[in-house]
Amino acid sequence: MGPKVTGYYAAHITKNGKRAVYYKFKTTYGSTGWVWNGWLKKVTKTTTKTIPGSGNNSSVDKSNAGDNAAIHAFTLNQSEYVNAFLSELNQERLKRGLSGLKLDVTLTQIAKTRASEISVNFTHYDPSGVTYVSKYAKQYGINYSILGEVITQNYPTAPTNRNNGETWGEDTDDTSSAATLPKNPTSAELAHSDLMTYLYDDASSAWGHRDNLLNSKYTNIGIAVSYNSSKDRNSYSVADLSN
């Protein structure tokens, strides 16, 4: 079996009045590319099956068995993720002469809602073309002159392929490996990986995510991440910002 797609993020493009979504993906072999969302379809994961004759009722996930792969362990700690993301982001801002951001309770509540939503529909926009974050800001009565959001998906339990030793985060074209996730990552390490992707691996979105997080006009931020160990084992993180 060939390489698996282990992570992606979306670019929303409007051309001739029509909006299209393209996904940048990354495989376990380190390759990257783009695909139009219209070419994608949802796939149901193969269920586990007991191996006959094993003598110990052990089971194997058939979707990974062909790759001789081992799934990494991961347990989400929301507060650890948020604290690590905010601390490191503020360090990056301070290095550039920018003020640090303050964690905002209301923006955090919005981010939690959005983190759950993007695990089902990975987009900033509702069907009418309005951003979800602006709708929630109005609902919660947030007064702002500038509002922004960044979202990303990661795969903290990405399998290590024992034939080639490659894991999610490694990129044969990137010697810095800034966003590399280690085996059995902590929530702080996941936050570091997500932030490094936003700041240093964002050329494909014209550095829009980086520019949002390093915008001097923002003063407040809400951060949240969701993770479903029984579904696709992907993490979905959100940062909502305002002044």
Side-chain angles (χ1 to χ4, degrees):
M1 188 180 293
K4 288 185 173 66
V5 173
T6 58
Y8 68 84
Y9 62 86
H12 299 264
I13 299 171
T14 301
K15 187 175 182 181
N16 297 326
K18 296 182 179 180
R19 180 176 289 111
V21 180
Y22 289 83
Y23 294 102
K24 182 181 181 182
F25 63 87
K26 193 169 196 174
T27 73
T28 50
Y29 289 178
S31 302
T32 59
W34 285 93
V35 63
W36 173 55
N37 71 323
W39 291 108
L40 302 177
K41 64 179 181 179
K42 196 167 186 177
V43 177
T44 302
K45 195 174 182 65
T46 307
T47 57
T48 59
K49 180 180 179 181
T50 300
I51 304 174
S54 62
N56 59 3
N57 293 324
S58 59
S59 63
V60 60
D61 188 334
K62 292 173 65 179
S63 64
N64 292 319
D67 285 337
N68 192 29
I71 297 297
H72 293 176
F74 178 72
T75 301
L76 176 63
N77 184 312
Q78 185 82 213
S79 60
E80 179 184 319
Y81 180 98
V82 171
N83 291 335
F85 189 99
L86 180 61
S87 175
E88 192 164 357
L89 172 58
N90 279 340
Q91 290 175 35
E92 293 285 343
R93 288 175 64 90
L94 291 173
K95 286 192 301 186
R96 295 164 173 81
L98 304 172
S99 298
L101 300 172
K102 296 179 181 179
L103 193 65
D104 181 86
V105 174
T106 305
L107 285 174
T108 296
Q109 184 59 49
I110 293 173
K112 287 181 179 179
T113 300
R114 294 288 296 125
S116 177
E117 289 176 341
I118 64 171
S119 68
V120 179
N121 185 22
F122 195 80
T123 180
H124 296 286
Y125 301 95
D126 71 7
S128 66
V130 177
T131 61
Y132 285 105
V133 66
S134 64
K135 293 176 64 175
Y136 289 130
K138 182 178 180 180
Q139 177 182 325
Y140 282 97
I142 297 177
N143 295 317
Y144 64 89
S145 59
I146 183 172
L147 186 71
E149 177 177 82
V150 295
I151 62 177
T152 192
Q153 178 188 18
N154 213 326
Y155 192 5
T157 60
T160 299
N161 189 306
R162 291 191 286 269
N163 293 323
N164 57 29
E166 292 176 329
T167 60
W168 159 244
E170 295 177 338
D171 191 335
T172 55
D173 298 322
D174 179 10
T175 57
S176 66
S177 298
T180 299
L181 274 174
K183 182 178 180 180
N184 304 326
T186 65
S187 295
E189 288 167 335
L190 175 62
H192 170 78
S193 174
D194 288 345
L195 182 62
M196 291 301 99
T197 299
Y198 284 139
L199 299 183
Y200 297 106
D201 188 20
D202 198 35
S204 54
S205 71
W207 302 100
H209 301 89
R210 179 198 65 182
D211 292 346
N212 255 330
L213 292 171
L214 300 180
N215 189 325
S216 62
K217 296 180 180 179
Y218 288 126
T219 56
N220 302 314
I221 189 171
I223 305 164
V225 59
S226 66
Y227 173 70
N228 190 333
S229 60
S230 63
K231 187 182 176 184
D232 56 11
R233 293 196 294 265
N234 292 334
S235 62
Y236 299 88
S237 65
V238 178
D240 290 317
L241 307 102
S242 74
N243 62 345

